[in-house]
Amino acid sequence: MNQYLKHDEWCIIEEGFHPEFARASESIFSLGNGAMGQRANFEEKYSGSSLQGSYVAGVYYPDKTRVGWWKNGYPEYFAKVINSTNWIGIDVKIGDDELDLARCEVTDFRRVLNMKEGYLERSFICEMPSGVKVAVNAKRFLSLANSELGAIRYSVKLLTANAKVSLKPYLDADVHNEDSNYGEKFWDEEQRLISPEQGMLVSRTRKLDFYVGHAMRFSVYHNDERISPELKLHDKEKYVASAFSVNVKAGDELVLYKYVAVVSSLNHSKDSFSSVLTALLNTATEKGFDVMLQDQANAWNELWEHSDITIEGDVAAQQGIRFNIFQLSQTYTGKDERLNIGPKGFTGEKYGGSTYWDTEAYCLPFYMITHGQKVARQLLLYRYKQLGKAIENAEKLGFSNGAALYPMVTMNGEECHNEWEITFEEIHRNGAIAFAIYNYVRYTNDYSYLPNFGLEVLIAIARFWAQRVNYSTDKGKYVMLGVTGPNEYENNVNNNWYTNTIACWCMEYAADVAAQVKKSDPEKYAALVQKIGFNEAKELTLWNNIRTNMYYPFDEKLGVYLQQEGYMDKEQILVKDLDPAHRPINQKWSWDRILRSCFIKQADVLQGIYFLEDRFNAETIKRNFDFYEPRTVHESSLSPCVHSVLASKIGNKAKAYEMYLRTARLDLDDYNREVKEGLHITSMAGTWISIVEGFGGMRVRNNALYLSPLIPEQWKGYSFKVWFRDNLLKVTVSHSQVNIQNQDGPAISLSVYEKMVTVSANSTQAVDISA
């Protein structure tokens, strides 16, 4: 772990300059607004280690697949949300010396990510080679109020001597991705313009013809008085800049306000870029930095009003959950159904910024319950609109009759992951797509989604499972061969319990929904049957036959579901007996050694028990948890949250808290030593799940909300908010009471510790925690 950040309830604070953690801090202090994102790179030049990153949502590049051995069915490319124009750049000179923190003596360095109001601020004192000391303060944000705008306030104050201060704000589209498969750059220049009033660059991707436009405008103040210095304009391919110099006395302050507009061809025609960018900059400059910053604070205040979680008595835990909520909220806003949540969001290149099954398995509950039904529905529609591509993906692997295999990794619905053990075998991802539909309808009661969209997806997924199994005459059962479960430290296994279980659940749920829609919306049902050629009698009979005759590996002696056939043939070693020098094993062991070990990357059997919890009694959950958790190395960011929820379920508060803290501070403390590559955005939703579903015990059963809260010993109390249908509820838990406050909506009846209580509108109901 790297614990160099200061604990604070509302801010992430770095005190002291840590070049060894530069890339990690660039990830942790990243900003976004749902439409674009920016790593916490310095505005001024930095010659030290850095991963430059500026990203525009939905704009990607199909980087040609690079593998050693091509296999039929491989995708031809890996989709990447690519590094875009560097818009934050401001070159700084003090006299003849260029400001570069890698080459200066730096003191009083302080960097603060203000999560309450949504801005990044950095300050430091630097002694230049000439001996002049300069104090710098930089504050920036990406606007939530207008998602196509960003703004920077950059202040330079001379401390010890008079000097000429030269500033050069610029736009630079000559950027690259470190993860480019063949070392190529992805952008060509389409248009550039520089004038005293503003600069503009329009770039085009070398494939797919995405166009992105950036424009900048700036103003300069000397000791709070606006000045108009003489400008020197710079204009070359993929680059525009305006440079100026000001003679500054010791004690004086020079401030540059830089406003940037960013648009893409997803939302505007390229022919309109110039006028749209100019209009956006007019809006920004008319408002000014301070008003825009207040708009930003107001927008974040509105978000926190319905998503905040408070924790009393544990600042590290409080900071962790707010950091996770902050990053999730600035990565995805639900305003555009074409967008989704990449595992790294806007914070790094790894995983390409594409969509994984993480969205449905982990992110949907967070957005559904904190941001509302409409946002969650957008996530489901994203998959519905890509159903045709999912069917094509299945066809490439030899499936037919409208069977759908949703991609492991995608930008447009087409599979673009190129590791055979994932692309071809980690097919459990289909189950997460179906479960998300179930989870959404269960929570929102939005039944209309099923006849209009959901049933078509569910049938296509069930068709895939029905073709993916085969009947074993030896076992007298249906089996599923050659798969990879959620535990990616096992490949090409037979009868992974979770995959078999979720496959049968999908066929069962599809059949149930078909019956519901047939009864309630017969016309829509008939139209769908015709559209997809659904042979009701034949297909439903087959699904039922498979479900009732599926093979599930089980150890009678231990009384646990086996992760897959042959799991007990492995040498059974517990994680506690591993030499700490061997951790993490994915960085220290050969892949051969990992595959032969019993160690588990993330919840596998326990993932199925988490999803389908109501089908297992408490004793079964505990027995499987106690067997698998000690063998789990938690080297996936998605692992701790599931274990935290199940530990809460079985009353193991110590383990629940341990797993919560691990997921909450996974990036802040860099548990897996990889935060330099970007944050684990999708797993951050698991932190929220750990509190709300774990400690809060929130479930939906029989069309009602159920709560069974517990509280970690380390906390004095905690609270969370949920939007449940027509109500906004605030749940506050102490060591003695649970208080449910009905902040918005009519009276509501819900279960607390299995006892129904009614909370009137605008009132609070208290329940003894021991009840």
Side-chain angles (χ1 to χ4, degrees):
M1 293 194 296
N2 295 324
Q3 295 179 309
Y4 66 99
L5 302 173
K6 188 176 180 179
H7 291 178
D8 183 273
E9 291 187 350
W10 275 110
C11 294
I12 309 301
I13 302 171
E14 179 183 5
E15 292 185 335
F17 184 45
H18 302 96
E20 70 275 24
F21 300 138
R23 288 189 175 217
S25 289
E26 288 172 353
S27 299
I28 290 168
F29 290 85
S30 293
L31 293 175
N33 63 7
M36 56 180 165
Q38 173 66 52
R39 282 173 62 84
N41 309 121
F42 297 161
E43 288 85 0
E44 70 278 355
K45 178 183 177 181
Y46 182 63
S47 59
S49 178
S50 175
L51 175 63
Q52 294 294 311
S54 177
Y55 310 102
V56 179
V59 176
Y60 66 97
Y61 188 85
D63 201 10
K64 185 179 177 182
T65 297
R66 185 168 190 165
V67 293
W69 179 19
W70 187 272
K71 298 174 179 64
N72 287 337
Y74 264 170
E76 295 183 359
Y77 66 90
F78 187 84
K80 296 174 178 177
V81 173
I82 50 178
N83 189 16
S84 184
T85 296
N86 176 6
W87 61 270
I88 64 171
I90 303 170
D91 286 340
V92 182
K93 279 189 174 182
I94 309 299
D96 294 326
D97 297 331
E98 188 168 38
L99 180 60
D100 178 351
L101 296 198
R103 301 181 183 276
C104 301
E105 183 179 333
V106 181
T107 60
D108 298 280
F109 184 95
R110 180 179 170 88
R111 177 161 32 188
V112 178
L113 179 63
N114 186 313
M115 300 180 291
K116 189 173 185 178
E117 298 183 2
Y119 65 83
L120 172 63
E121 186 168 16
R122 178 173 57 101
S123 59
F124 58 88
I125 294 174
C126 193
E127 183 173 347
M128 308 301 292
S130 64
V132 176
K133 286 190 176 181
V134 58
V136 173
N137 179 276
K139 181 185 288 188
R140 73 178 185 236
F141 61 92
L142 286 171
S143 175
L144 278 182
N146 188 328
S147 62
E148 294 176 322
L149 288 174
I152 302 170
R153 181 189 185 275
Y154 196 91
S155 161
V156 178
K157 186 174 185 179
L158 299 186
L159 301 180
T160 58
N162 302 341
K164 181 174 70 174
V165 177
S166 302
L167 301 180
K168 183 165 70 173
Y170 63 83
L171 301 173
D172 183 6
D174 191 19
V175 296
H176 71 283
N177 271 48
E178 286 192 358
D179 68 351
S180 172
N181 284 342
Y182 295 90
E184 64 178 317
K185 293 183 177 180
F186 300 142
W187 294 99
D188 285 325
E189 180 188 282
E190 182 72 14
Q191 182 183 3
R192 73 178 183 270
L193 171 70
I194 184 67
S195 71
E197 289 73 34
Q198 69 185 50
M200 182 182 74
L201 281 177
V202 177
S203 305
R204 172 178 51 82
T205 57
R206 291 180 174 178
K207 296 178 184 177
L208 302 184
D209 285 346
F210 285 110
Y211 291 83
V212 173
H214 289 73
M216 69 171 181
R217 197 178 292 175
F218 62 90
S219 56
V220 186
Y221 287 77
H222 187 187
N223 294 335
D224 297 325
E225 180 180 344
R226 184 166 184 174
I227 61 174
S228 299
E230 183 178 348
L231 301 179
K232 182 178 181 181
L233 305 181
H234 295 260
D235 176 12
K236 63 181 180 179
E237 186 178 7
K238 301 182 184 179
Y239 179 92
V240 294
S242 296
F244 61 89
S245 298
V246 179
N247 291 317
V248 179
K249 295 179 180 179
D252 283 2
E253 182 183 38
L254 189 67
V255 179
L256 171 73
Y257 292 97
K258 182 178 181 181
Y259 305 95
V260 177
V262 183
V263 299
S264 82
S265 53
L266 285 173
N267 302 308
H268 304 279
S269 69
K270 64 182 178 66
D271 294 334
S272 70
F273 275 14
S274 180
S275 60
V276 171
L277 289 166
T278 298
L280 285 165
L281 288 177
N282 287 342
T283 297
T285 53
E286 287 168 9
K287 282 193 170 187
F289 186 88
D290 291 339
V291 173
M292 288 181 67
L293 187 60
Q294 185 58 55
D295 289 346
Q296 179 81 342
N298 293 341
W300 272 105
N301 180 65
E302 186 177 340
L303 274 172
W304 286 116
E305 276 294 314
H306 54 74
S307 64
D308 191 24
I309 288 178
T310 64
I311 298 172
E312 293 183 61
D314 191 337
V315 177
Q318 177 68 86
Q319 183 185 48
I321 185 60
R322 281 192 172 134
F323 178 69
N324 285 262
I325 293 171
F326 175 80
Q327 292 292 349
L328 284 162
S329 297
Q330 69 172 4
T331 298
Y332 181 77
T333 62
K335 295 177 181 178
D336 189 337
E337 67 188 30
R338 297 169 298 178
L339 303 180
N340 208 283
I341 307 116
K344 297 295 184 188
F346 298 121
T347 70
E349 297 177 2
K350 191 174 181 181
Y351 302 123
S354 302
T355 303
Y356 286 62
W357 68 288
D358 309 17
T359 292
E360 286 75 23
Y362 300 94
C363 296
L364 181 81
F366 167 78
Y367 289 104
M368 178 167 62
I369 297 171
T370 64
H371 288 56
Q373 175 178 323
K374 182 179 178 180
V375 173
R377 204 174 204 259
Q378 295 281 61
L379 290 172
L380 296 186
L381 287 172
Y382 176 90
R383 295 292 194 179
Y384 173 77
K385 292 191 173 182
Q386 294 181 353
L387 176 58
K389 289 288 187 181
I391 292 172
E392 288 180 18
N393 293 334
E395 289 174 347
K396 291 176 183 178
L397 301 186
F399 296 88
S400 59
N401 191 36
L405 176 59
Y406 275 91
M408 187 68 182
V409 180
T410 194
M411 286 296 299
N412 63 359
E414 186 176 22
E415 178 65 75
C416 62
H417 197 286
N418 50 40
E419 295 174 326
W420 66 268
E421 66 274 18
I422 307 300
T423 307
F424 304 150
E425 296 195 340
E426 199 166 342
I427 53 178
H428 68 80
R429 58 193 187 254
N430 252 9
I433 309 299
F435 188 81
I437 296 171
Y438 166 78
N439 206 12
Y440 169 80
V441 174
R442 174 178 61 173
Y443 189 85
T444 65
N445 204 32
D446 180 13
Y447 172 81
S448 68
Y449 187 80
L450 295 175
N452 291 317
F453 309 105
L455 179 56
E456 187 174 354
V457 172
L458 294 171
I459 290 174
I461 288 174
R463 284 172 161 174
F464 171 82
W465 291 123
Q467 295 177 46
R468 185 57 173 78
V469 302
N470 65 274
Y471 187 78
S472 167
T473 55
D474 180 61
K475 287 183 170 63
K477 296 282 186 179
Y478 283 94
V479 295
M480 187 104 62
L481 308 179
V483 303
T484 296
N487 171 26
E488 292 172 339
Y489 289 175
E490 302 273 7
N491 301 146
N492 201 37
V493 302
N494 294 336
N495 293 308
N496 171 260
W497 181 86
Y498 171 70
T499 306
N500 287 14
T501 298
I502 202 68
C504 288
W505 177 86
C506 287
M507 288 183 277
E508 178 184 348
Y509 183 51
D512 288 346
V513 172
Q516 293 175 38
V517 173
K518 183 178 182 179
K519 181 178 180 180
S520 62
D521 292 278
E523 289 186 7
K524 287 184 179 178
Y525 181 77
L528 180 60
V529 167
Q530 174 107 12
K531 175 183 177 182
I532 64 175
F534 184 46
N535 189 327
E536 180 181 10
K538 182 180 179 181
E539 295 190 63
L540 292 178
T541 299
L542 175 61
W543 299 351
N544 185 64
N545 187 37
I546 294 170
R547 287 194 301 106
T548 54
N549 292 283
M550 176 61 80
Y551 173 73
Y552 300 100
F554 184 78
D555 189 290
E556 297 288 347
K557 183 178 179 181
L558 296 171
V560 298
Y561 305 111
L562 288 181
Q563 185 174 264
Q564 74 266 349
E565 280 191 273
Y567 181 77
M568 294 307 297
D569 292 335
K570 295 170 177 283
E571 184 180 8
Q572 296 296 315
I573 306 173
L574 303 185
V575 174
K576 68 179 180 63
D577 297 322
L578 265 176
D579 183 344
H582 290 196
R583 302 289 307 278
I585 63 173
N586 63 11
Q587 296 177 24
K588 301 297 180 66
W589 284 11
S590 70
W591 197 245
D592 169 75
R593 187 177 182 185
I594 290 173
L595 291 175
R596 289 186 286 107
S597 79
C598 71
F599 297 121
I600 301 168
K601 181 183 180 184
Q602 68 189 77
D604 196 303
V605 168
L606 297 182
Q607 182 74 44
I609 290 176
Y610 164 67
F611 271 170
L612 306 176
E613 177 191 290
D614 289 344
R615 300 191 171 199
F616 308 99
N617 60 37
E619 182 182 348
T620 299
I621 296 173
K622 184 177 187 305
R623 191 163 55 245
N624 280 273
F625 184 91
D626 290 345
F627 179 79
Y628 283 109
E629 197 285 326
R631 291 164 171 79
T632 304
V633 290
H634 301 294
E635 289 175 7
S636 164
S637 63
L638 301 173
S639 185
C641 65
V642 171
H643 290 83
S644 183
V645 172
L646 293 180
S648 292
K649 173 70 177 179
I650 63 177
N652 188 342
K653 290 200 290 185
K655 179 58 71 173
Y657 178 75
E658 174 195 339
M659 290 290 101
Y660 162 75
L661 207 58
R662 182 171 181 132
T663 186
R665 299 193 62 84
L666 177 72
D667 289 321
L668 292 177
D669 293 338
D670 200 7
Y671 272 86
N672 292 341
R673 305 175 195 175
E674 59 183 13
V675 74
K676 63 186 177 182
E677 299 172 339
L679 303 178
H680 296 85
I681 298 296
T682 49
S683 72
M684 288 178 171
T687 309
W688 180 91
I689 289 171
S690 297
I691 291 182
V692 176
E693 295 185 13
F695 301 136
M698 192 206 78
R699 305 288 190 275
V700 176
R701 300 191 187 105
N702 304 317
N703 229 20
L705 197 64
Y706 280 64
L707 297 170
S708 298
L710 56 81
I711 182 169
E713 299 300 327
Q714 294 86 345
W715 298 355
K716 294 179 181 178
Y718 67 97
S719 71
F720 60 88
K721 294 184 179 183
V722 296
W723 263 347
F724 182 65
R725 301 180 184 176
D726 296 326
N727 296 86
L728 177 61
L729 305 175
K730 181 178 181 180
V731 180
T732 305
V733 183
S734 69
H735 285 279
S736 60
Q737 272 192 336
V738 179
N739 287 279
I740 299 99
Q741 182 182 6
N742 189 354
Q743 294 187 329
D744 189 15
I748 183 173
S749 294
L750 67 156
S751 171
V752 184
Y753 300 119
E754 302 299 326
K755 179 180 179 181
M756 295 303 294
V757 298
T758 299
V759 188
S760 301
N762 301 310
S763 68
T764 301
Q765 182 74 41
V767 178
D768 188 83
I769 202 165
S770 62

